[in-house]
Structure formats: C-alpha cells, structure tokens
Amino acid sequence: MSTTMRRLPATAALAASALALAACSGGGGFDDPAPGESPGGATDAPAGELAVLIGSSGDAETDAVTAAVEAWSAETGVTASVTVASDLPQQLSQGFAAGDPPDVFYVSTDHLAGWAANGSLHPYGDQLANVEDFHDSLRENFTVDDQLVCAPKDFSTLALVINTDAWAEAGLGDDDVPTTWDELADVAAALTTDSRVGLSFGPEYQRIGVFMAQAGGGLVAEDGTTAIVDSPENLAALEYVQQLMTDGVMAYPADVGAGWGGEAFGTGAAAMTIEGNWIVGALRNDFPDTPYRVVELPAGPAGKGTLQFTNCWGIAADSDSPDAALDLVEHLTSTEQQIEFASAFGVMPSVRSAAEAFAAEFPEQEAFITSADFATGMPTAEGAAEVISDFNAQLEGLANADASEVLASVQANLQAALDAAG
Amino acid sequence: MSTQRAVLARTASRGSGVRGREAQAGWLFVAPVIVLLGLFLVLPVVMAAWVSVSDWTGRGSPFSAEVDFVGTQNYSELLFGGGLATQDFGTALRNNSWYVLLVVPTQTALSLFLAIMVNRKWLRGSSFFRTAFYFPSVTSSVAITVLFLFLFSATGVVNKVLQAMSVSGPNWFADPRGVLHVLLAWLGVERGPAVLTDHAVLGVSLWQWLAGPSVAMSVLILMAVFTTSGTFMLLFLAALQHISDEVDEAAMMDGTTAWQRFRFVTLPMLRPTVFTVMTLGLIGTWQVFDQIYTGTQGGPGKTTVTPAYLSYTASFQSQQWGRGAAIAFILFAIIITMTVLQRRVIRGRDKDGL
C-alpha cells in the first residue's frame, strides 16, 4: 500500500515532463519550419526550388508533365521537381497544415472552395498573362468571390460513346444517332441483348446530371446562392433514367460487373456509355479492340446539355517563390504546351487558342470539344461536394427510389450548404 | 520492480544519500520513452482535442493565434445540427453498430470453438489446422479486402457458385439494401410503420436504423470474422493450454458430461481471455477503416461509412477539421463506454458464480 502511495509523485512528475516536452516539440515542429526542412513529407524541395505535386492518371501524364517542367527549368534556370501524389487532397492538406505545401499542384473543383476559404491558395488569376484565353465557363469554375483563384489546367466534357460493332449488328445506321430522349431510349432498346445492356453509366450526379441539364434543371441557380434541385425539370430527368432502368435497357456499371462506365463499355457489357474523353486512353490501354465513335449527347426537353469537369493549377499561399510558380503555370497553360499535353494523355486544352488545333489533331474526339458550348460545370460552393456525394449515394438506389423524395432531401442539404457558405 | 522504483522515488525526494544519483540515471534511461510517447501520443491527442473545440481550417498550426476556441460547436452541430453532418454521422453510427453487433459475438464464439477444436489431443495434424486458421490474420487486411472484392463481384466466384446451385446472388458490393429490410420485403413488408419512419435519431429514421447491415456491409462483416478469428483463436488456445489436465479429470471423476465440463469448468476459467478478446474485438470493430478505405469508400449508398472513415473524409476531403476531430473523440467515448459496460457485465456474472 505504502509503495503505491510513494509512487504517485514520481508518476505525476513523469506525466508533467511528458507534457512539457510535447509542448516544446510542438513549438519547434509545427509553427515555422526553417526553409529546406520538411516536416510535411516527400513533396518538399529545398529553398529556391519549386515542388510540383500532381495527381496523375498514369505514366503518360507523369512523363508529359515532368518533361514540360524540365523544359521550363532549362529555360529559366529554376530547378523544379515533379512528385506524383498517391492521395492528392490528403497530401496537400498535410502540406497546408504544416505550413510547407508544394508550390504548384492540381486543384479539383471539389476542394477549391475549402482551400480558398482557409487562405491556402494564392489567388493569382489577375496576374496571369493569358487570362483572356481561357474558356469563360472554366474561369467561372475557379472564381471565388469574384476573383479567379487559379488557372484552369484542362477540361473534359461528357458525350455519348457508341460501340460501332454493336451498332451495325443491331441494324442501326448513321441516321439513327439519337438526338432526343425518345431516340436514345429506342436505340438503347435496339442495342440490348441477353448479355448486354444498351446503355450504362455510373450512379452519380456526375453522369445523371447531363439529363438534368438537358431537361433544363440543375443544382444551383445562376445567382450561386439558391438551390434549385427540387424542380419538375430534375424530376423529369430522374424519372427518364428510372424508366430506362425499368425497361432493362440501361444498367449501372456495378450491375453488369464493371467498375465504371468505360469498363462496362470495353468488356462489351454495355453498347453505349456516357463518359468524358479520358475513356479514349482507357480503351486504348485496356480494350484496344473495341471499335467506337463519340457523338454529342441527345437533346432533352430543354435542348442540349452536358457536364464539364476541370482541374486547375493551384499555387500555395505559403510558396517561397510565387513569382517563379506563376511563371511555371503560364508555361504549363500556354497554347503549345496544352496541345502537347493533349496528345500525350488526351485532355482537352483549357485555352481557346488551342481548340482548333485539338479538333484537327483528334477528329474522333470532336464531339467532346463541341459539347463545351453547352456544358455546365460542377457547383464549387464550400460543402457542395459533400451534398453531391450524398446525392450520389441516393442515386445508387434510384431504380427503387422515390425520385421526388431524393430531390427534396438534396434540395434541403444543398440550400443549407449554400447558406453556410454565405 | 515496484519496490525498486519506490526506493528510487524516496531517495530522490530526500535529495541526498548515496543513492541520489540513481534517480538521475533513472530519468535518463526513461527519457527516450517519455519523449517518444509525448511526441507521438500525448501531443497528437492534445492537438486533436483542441482542434475538436476550435475553428481551425487546416492551414498552419492549430495552436497559432488566428485559431479561435468555439466551445462545443463542432459537437453540437454533429449531434443536434440536423443537417447533412448529423445525417452522415447517424448513418455511420448505424452502420458501425450493426458491424460491431454482428462481428464481436461471432468472432468470439468462432475463435473459441476453433481453439477448442485444435486443442483436442486426439486431433491429427492439429498444428496444420492452427496454421491454417491463423493464416488470414497474418495476411494484410488490404490484400484480403482486394481478394474479397473479386470474390464477391457481380460476376465473381461466389455468384458463380450460387449460380451453379440455381441461386442468383446479389451484387454484393453494390447493394445498399439492409439485410433486415430485404428479409422483411420477402415477407411482403416494403415500408415501415409510421411510428418508425416518422421518428428520427441523428437524422436517420428509426426504420433506417433497423435496416440491418447492407449487403455490402455483410460481406465486410464476414471478412472481419474470417480475418480476426485466427488471432483470437490463438489467445484462447494459450488460455486453454494453461488449464491443467487435472481440473478436467477431477470434473470427469464427478461424472460430468462434456458440455457441463465446458460450461462450468473451462468457460469460467477462460473468463479473463473472453474479456480480452471481446475488448480487443470492440475496439477493433469500432475503429474499422482500412477495409472501407481500400474496399468500398463508404459506398454503396453510404452504407459502409463508419465513424472512423467519416472522420477522415470530413477532415481531408471536406476540410472540416473540427468536425473530423469531434467525430474521433465521440468514437473514443463510445469505445471507452462500451469497454467499461462490458467489464461490468462480465464482473457481474462473476458474482453470480457463472
């Protein structure tokens, strides 16, 4: 008994010193890392050097970006290193928290608002020399509080991808390319066989949203502060998709044993899919024997509509050399460089001056670039990404769901998010 | 050992004597551990606790001057806010509760059963079985998750086998329906009674709380039982081998049946191990993360989101660091409460003379 009592002071002293030590190390390790020190991780470069962090789709993209950055380094004499992130948002978050992020990195529209709001991003849009050259809709996507935060890197739109063998087999010709919802349902039915569905795309707003756009609906009103999810237009879109599923002419990729629309298309489980131009590279690598063509999506009750996705080149507010970083971004978004990226890994240039060259070089992808004229971007308000992922979770069960209930719940969540974001 | 430390403390407090320098030496020797624990355990816990009551946005140090104290705002938004944050948290708790409820008893019972089986003296090749049962525990959980993703894909081996038996299997990892709802639907109950659908706890209706684990979650439950039973079998095996043969023989002399020996002799002697296994099981199942992160990412329909995974996504994807930390601390409270409760239950049964 007495032994235990006497041990108390020693234990207390131990705990106290542990806390004291912890507090000291907190001061040294988190507040102001000396230049060149890297508590954040592997993405760091010595002072005066630029660290570029990218989320790469594969070797082709990594090599192309590395080559472009090296070319810039040779020109300017500023060394720069390219690192591929395994989990980009996580690694960037760690860098921002440690006060030592990479200088230049990819930013998706999902994360833009959060990082812009906490001041992690250096809003350099007004210093960008080629700012007028970017597509307007892309600039809008990266504008927060009337300020262009970062330069659009490239973009993609969704279009209808058709397996031409299946098409011919079903006795369809060039004139049968669907231009309305009814025609799409008809060709999907014609293409459906025992072992194949006519159409397949992922259970997410990022695909089904095209029908909402074609019906004249959407998620956020023009003013950016009102949610318009709970509209008859959106309901019509969801009910149209439900009808396709009920008729058995459309199925989600998971239901036909595929991970995404491109895989369902490549394996022949689906004759048509709605995907972006990344499918071109994926089919070339994984399913080189699948013959296909890309056409614009059919028009809905309110006309043509599709979705577009984009990333931008973010510059960290904590960057040691923002000027060099800006120069690098200007180099990476220049017309020639973007055409090189386009031919290396199949993205669409974000600048108007490269559009013609792109269409000339990739005539088979023309539908993707012409779709840009009527494409809608993703909502970028803070918290919108969470609402969309909740929407997507509900869309997974769309076949048996009450579409108006789904829309009502998303409406409430999105309005709450928009109100919170101010 | 403890006497030595007491002597150390006593001499140190006097500050004199021939053994005075031993205290310094003692501190010197424990210093590395104190530093390591402080740096990698105490400091992160303190930081996370602070973040959970602050408005830190994820940029710079949470201890910097710009970060303000917001009290319990993160917690109340999570528990009483009623918005998407509350719904997500309620869904995550629902999912994980079913997971814990099904995994912990099953894995405890199964591992005990396996241990008793391979502990049989007459069992031939028992070391082979021990190795075989333990094998899933050695394999990395990520590798097993990937394996299960293939086994249970829509056209995977499991469905092929079911097909051979003329059963059309579900699309396991893409099926968000709760298994209890599926069973009820077979009985013709498609919608819950109003008393269940109209009342919600944490933004999730009672009908949804009672949905049961989704089909996808059921696969993860199966996987957890499969991978952890071997580890716990080892713990039970060690305890079983600790029970001397005389005890069993004495019981035999009293004319007990095999079941009575198990129920009234072996099981009471295993109680400390049962407690250990259930505690480890509870902690492990409430913290499930790897399988979700590598396997389902919370889908289908958010039915495999767990508080641990939600804490991660709230922080790293949504930049809601306060909320993420608050989830982690609520999870911590849940685990502590469950462990204490469970200890009480097992102790209580001790008094009744189990």
Side-chain angles (χ1 to χ4, degrees), chain A residues 109 134-143 148 152 155 157 308 310 350 352 371-378 380:
Chain A
T109 43
F134 293 100
H135 290 286
D136 293 338
S137 62
L138 296 179
R139 269 190 293 171
E140 261 170 51
N141 256 302
F142 296 109
T143 300
L148 179 62
F155 77 113
T157 56
Q308 73 180 18
T310 174
S350 58
R352 286 197 205 94
S371 294
D373 295 340
F374 49 85
T376 327
M378 289 280 119
T380 53

Tab-separated table of all heavy atoms in Angstrom, chain A residues 109 134-143 148 152 155 157 308 310 350 352 371-378 380:
chain	number	residue	atom	x	y	z
A	109	THR	N	-12.303	21.009	-58.536
A	109	THR	CA	-13.372	21.930	-58.150
A	109	THR	C	-13.976	21.545	-56.798
A	109	THR	O	-14.489	22.394	-56.090
A	109	THR	CB	-14.479	21.942	-59.228
A	109	THR	OG1	-14.714	20.600	-59.632
A	109	THR	CG2	-14.084	22.766	-60.422
A	134	PHE	N	-8.573	31.694	-71.649
A	134	PHE	CA	-9.266	30.535	-71.095
A	134	PHE	C	-10.756	30.600	-71.419
A	134	PHE	O	-11.346	31.672	-71.472
A	134	PHE	CB	-9.073	30.471	-69.574
A	134	PHE	CG	-7.654	30.188	-69.170
A	134	PHE	CD1	-6.816	31.220	-68.755
A	134	PHE	CD2	-7.149	28.893	-69.210
A	134	PHE	CE1	-5.504	30.961	-68.407
A	134	PHE	CE2	-5.843	28.638	-68.848
A	134	PHE	CZ	-5.017	29.677	-68.451
A	135	HIS	N	-11.357	29.400	-71.587
A	135	HIS	CA	-12.807	29.351	-71.794
A	135	HIS	C	-13.514	30.015	-70.610
A	135	HIS	O	-13.140	29.789	-69.465
A	135	HIS	CB	-13.279	27.901	-71.896
A	135	HIS	CG	-12.842	27.215	-73.150
A	135	HIS	ND1	-13.395	27.480	-74.381
A	135	HIS	CD2	-11.891	26.275	-73.373
A	135	HIS	CE1	-12.812	26.724	-75.303
A	135	HIS	NE2	-11.886	25.986	-74.715
A	136	ASP	N	-14.552	30.808	-70.925
A	136	ASP	CA	-15.239	31.560	-69.862
A	136	ASP	C	-15.800	30.640	-68.783
A	136	ASP	O	-15.683	30.907	-67.589
A	136	ASP	CB	-16.386	32.382	-70.457
A	136	ASP	CG	-15.841	33.489	-71.345
A	136	ASP	OD1	-14.664	33.852	-71.139
A	136	ASP	OD2	-16.582	33.965	-72.225
A	137	SER	N	-16.423	29.538	-69.231
A	137	SER	CA	-17.084	28.666	-68.255
A	137	SER	C	-16.051	28.054	-67.304
A	137	SER	O	-16.349	27.789	-66.139
A	137	SER	CB	-17.844	27.566	-68.985
A	137	SER	OG	-16.941	26.778	-69.733
A	138	LEU	N	-14.836	27.840	-67.793
A	138	LEU	CA	-13.801	27.277	-66.931
A	138	LEU	C	-13.334	28.313	-65.924
A	138	LEU	O	-13.096	28.003	-64.756
A	138	LEU	CB	-12.614	26.800	-67.769
A	138	LEU	CG	-12.900	25.664	-68.730
A	138	LEU	CD1	-11.649	25.294	-69.506
A	138	LEU	CD2	-13.405	24.456	-67.971
A	139	ARG	N	-13.206	29.549	-66.381
A	139	ARG	CA	-12.782	30.606	-65.449
A	139	ARG	C	-13.809	30.773	-64.345
A	139	ARG	O	-13.464	30.944	-63.179
A	139	ARG	CB	-12.584	31.925	-66.196
A	139	ARG	CG	-11.160	32.086	-66.694
A	139	ARG	CD	-10.933	33.480	-67.196
A	139	ARG	NE	-11.730	33.715	-68.412
A	139	ARG	CZ	-11.866	34.906	-68.982
A	139	ARG	NH1	-11.310	35.949	-68.413
A	139	ARG	NH2	-12.571	35.039	-70.070
A	140	GLU	N	-15.085	30.681	-64.746
A	140	GLU	CA	-16.155	30.789	-63.741
A	140	GLU	C	-16.007	29.721	-62.665
A	140	GLU	O	-16.250	29.957	-61.493
A	140	GLU	CB	-17.509	30.583	-64.414
A	140	GLU	CG	-18.250	31.854	-64.726
A	140	GLU	CD	-19.445	31.555	-65.612
A	140	GLU	OE1	-20.223	30.649	-65.259
A	140	GLU	OE2	-19.559	32.203	-66.662
A	141	ASN	N	-15.606	28.525	-63.114
A	141	ASN	CA	-15.465	27.407	-62.193
A	141	ASN	C	-14.437	27.657	-61.096
A	141	ASN	O	-14.503	27.065	-60.030
A	141	ASN	CB	-15.034	26.162	-62.968
A	141	ASN	CG	-16.180	25.212	-63.160
A	141	ASN	OD1	-16.769	24.766	-62.201
A	141	ASN	ND2	-16.501	24.935	-64.395
A	142	PHE	N	-13.452	28.480	-61.403
A	142	PHE	CA	-12.385	28.702	-60.430
A	142	PHE	C	-12.405	30.115	-59.871
A	142	PHE	O	-11.404	30.623	-59.396
A	142	PHE	CB	-11.024	28.380	-61.059
A	142	PHE	CG	-10.909	26.937	-61.417
A	142	PHE	CD1	-10.919	26.520	-62.729
A	142	PHE	CD2	-10.831	25.986	-60.409
A	142	PHE	CE1	-10.842	25.179	-63.047
A	142	PHE	CE2	-10.754	24.639	-60.712
A	142	PHE	CZ	-10.766	24.244	-62.040
A	143	THR	N	-13.553	30.760	-59.996
A	143	THR	CA	-13.680	32.102	-59.456
A	143	THR	C	-14.358	32.023	-58.094
A	143	THR	O	-15.436	31.462	-57.961
A	143	THR	CB	-14.491	32.995	-60.410
A	143	THR	OG1	-13.809	33.032	-61.661
A	143	THR	CG2	-14.615	34.410	-59.861
A	148	LEU	N	-10.477	35.241	-59.758
A	148	LEU	CA	-10.006	33.994	-60.344
A	148	LEU	C	-8.849	33.479	-59.490
A	148	LEU	O	-7.820	34.130	-59.350
A	148	LEU	CB	-9.550	34.223	-61.792
A	148	LEU	CG	-9.011	32.990	-62.513
A	148	LEU	CD1	-10.071	31.912	-62.638
A	148	LEU	CD2	-8.459	33.350	-63.875
A	152	PRO	N	-7.229	27.346	-65.093
A	152	PRO	CA	-7.733	26.029	-65.494
A	152	PRO	C	-6.636	25.235	-66.217
A	152	PRO	O	-5.954	25.769	-67.101
A	152	PRO	CB	-8.884	26.358	-66.437
A	152	PRO	CG	-9.288	27.748	-66.099
A	152	PRO	CD	-8.050	28.443	-65.625
A	155	PHE	N	-9.735	20.481	-69.435
A	155	PHE	CA	-11.096	20.126	-69.036
A	155	PHE	C	-11.607	18.942	-69.842
A	155	PHE	O	-10.978	18.502	-70.805
A	155	PHE	CB	-12.026	21.330	-69.146
A	155	PHE	CG	-12.467	21.671	-70.547
A	155	PHE	CD1	-13.787	21.519	-70.929
A	155	PHE	CD2	-11.549	22.134	-71.481
A	155	PHE	CE1	-14.201	21.839	-72.218
A	155	PHE	CE2	-11.953	22.455	-72.772
A	155	PHE	CZ	-13.271	22.309	-73.139
A	157	THR	N	-15.508	17.053	-71.144
A	157	THR	CA	-16.967	17.099	-71.172
A	157	THR	C	-17.461	15.671	-71.341
A	157	THR	O	-16.690	14.771	-71.669
A	157	THR	CB	-17.489	17.928	-72.353
A	157	THR	OG1	-16.935	17.367	-73.546
A	157	THR	CG2	-17.105	19.375	-72.227
A	308	GLN	N	-19.277	19.447	-67.517
A	308	GLN	CA	-17.841	19.501	-67.759
A	308	GLN	C	-17.083	19.448	-66.434
A	308	GLN	O	-17.586	19.848	-65.391
A	308	GLN	CB	-17.468	20.752	-68.554
A	308	GLN	CG	-17.546	22.039	-67.756
A	308	GLN	CD	-17.167	23.228	-68.617
A	308	GLN	OE1	-17.181	23.135	-69.840
A	308	GLN	NE2	-16.834	24.321	-67.992
A	310	THR	N	-13.147	19.935	-64.568
A	310	THR	CA	-11.862	20.582	-64.787
A	310	THR	C	-11.047	20.630	-63.509
A	310	THR	O	-11.582	20.483	-62.412
A	310	THR	CB	-12.087	22.010	-65.358
A	310	THR	OG1	-10.842	22.690	-65.433
A	310	THR	CG2	-13.028	22.819	-64.490
A	350	SER	N	-7.468	23.995	-72.089
A	350	SER	CA	-8.378	24.926	-71.427
A	350	SER	C	-8.400	26.289	-72.090
A	350	SER	O	-9.150	27.156	-71.694
A	350	SER	CB	-7.987	25.083	-69.954
A	350	SER	OG	-6.655	25.547	-69.865
A	352	ARG	N	-8.790	28.779	-75.514
A	352	ARG	CA	-9.497	28.806	-76.798
A	352	ARG	C	-8.526	28.644	-77.965
A	352	ARG	O	-8.815	27.978	-78.938
A	352	ARG	CB	-10.229	30.133	-76.947
A	352	ARG	CG	-11.456	30.235	-76.088
A	352	ARG	CD	-12.354	31.360	-76.587
A	352	ARG	NE	-13.183	31.850	-75.500
A	352	ARG	CZ	-12.862	32.882	-74.729
A	352	ARG	NH1	-11.742	33.553	-74.941
A	352	ARG	NH2	-13.650	33.249	-73.752
A	371	SER	N	-19.084	19.860	-77.400
A	371	SER	CA	-20.002	19.839	-76.267
A	371	SER	C	-19.701	20.944	-75.265
A	371	SER	O	-20.547	21.271	-74.423
A	371	SER	CB	-19.938	18.488	-75.560
A	371	SER	OG	-20.411	17.457	-76.382
A	372	ALA	N	-18.504	21.484	-75.335
A	372	ALA	CA	-18.126	22.541	-74.397
A	372	ALA	C	-19.062	23.745	-74.510
A	372	ALA	O	-19.262	24.481	-73.546
A	372	ALA	CB	-16.687	22.974	-74.643
A	373	ASP	N	-19.674	23.921	-75.716
A	373	ASP	CA	-20.532	25.085	-75.933
A	373	ASP	C	-21.761	25.089	-75.031
A	373	ASP	O	-22.317	26.135	-74.733
A	373	ASP	CB	-21.001	25.126	-77.400
A	373	ASP	CG	-19.829	25.330	-78.340
A	373	ASP	OD1	-18.780	25.806	-77.844
A	373	ASP	OD2	-19.950	25.003	-79.534
A	374	PHE	N	-22.230	23.894	-74.639
A	374	PHE	CA	-23.452	23.858	-73.827
A	374	PHE	C	-23.224	23.096	-72.525
A	374	PHE	O	-24.131	22.500	-71.970
A	374	PHE	CB	-24.610	23.255	-74.631
A	374	PHE	CG	-24.267	21.962	-75.323
A	374	PHE	CD1	-24.361	20.760	-74.638
A	374	PHE	CD2	-23.845	21.947	-76.664
A	374	PHE	CE1	-24.053	19.567	-75.278
A	374	PHE	CE2	-23.536	20.758	-77.293
A	374	PHE	CZ	-23.637	19.565	-76.602
A	375	ALA	N	-21.982	23.089	-72.039
A	375	ALA	CA	-21.667	22.301	-70.830
A	375	ALA	C	-21.845	23.128	-69.557
A	375	ALA	O	-21.642	24.333	-69.554
A	375	ALA	CB	-20.241	21.795	-70.908
A	376	THR	N	-22.235	22.450	-68.496
A	376	THR	CA	-22.357	23.067	-67.178
A	376	THR	C	-21.248	22.523	-66.288
A	376	THR	O	-20.939	21.333	-66.342
A	376	THR	CB	-23.704	22.661	-66.508
A	376	THR	OG1	-24.681	22.509	-67.510
A	376	THR	CG2	-24.119	23.669	-65.470
A	377	GLY	N	-20.704	23.379	-65.451
A	377	GLY	CA	-19.657	22.930	-64.538
A	377	GLY	C	-20.248	22.409	-63.240
A	377	GLY	O	-21.448	22.474	-63.003
A	378	MET	N	-19.363	21.875	-62.390
A	378	MET	CA	-19.787	21.389	-61.069
A	378	MET	C	-19.953	22.583	-60.127
A	378	MET	O	-19.196	23.542	-60.215
A	378	MET	CB	-18.700	20.484	-60.478
A	378	MET	CG	-18.558	19.161	-61.161
A	378	MET	SD	-19.837	18.066	-60.582
A	378	MET	CE	-20.669	17.730	-62.014
A	380	THR	N	-19.264	24.809	-57.074
A	380	THR	CA	-17.993	24.882	-56.357
A	380	THR	C	-18.140	25.436	-54.952
A	380	THR	O	-17.147	25.604	-54.258
A	380	THR	CB	-16.999	25.783	-57.116
A	380	THR	OG1	-17.639	27.032	-57.356
A	380	THR	CG2	-16.594	25.169	-58.430
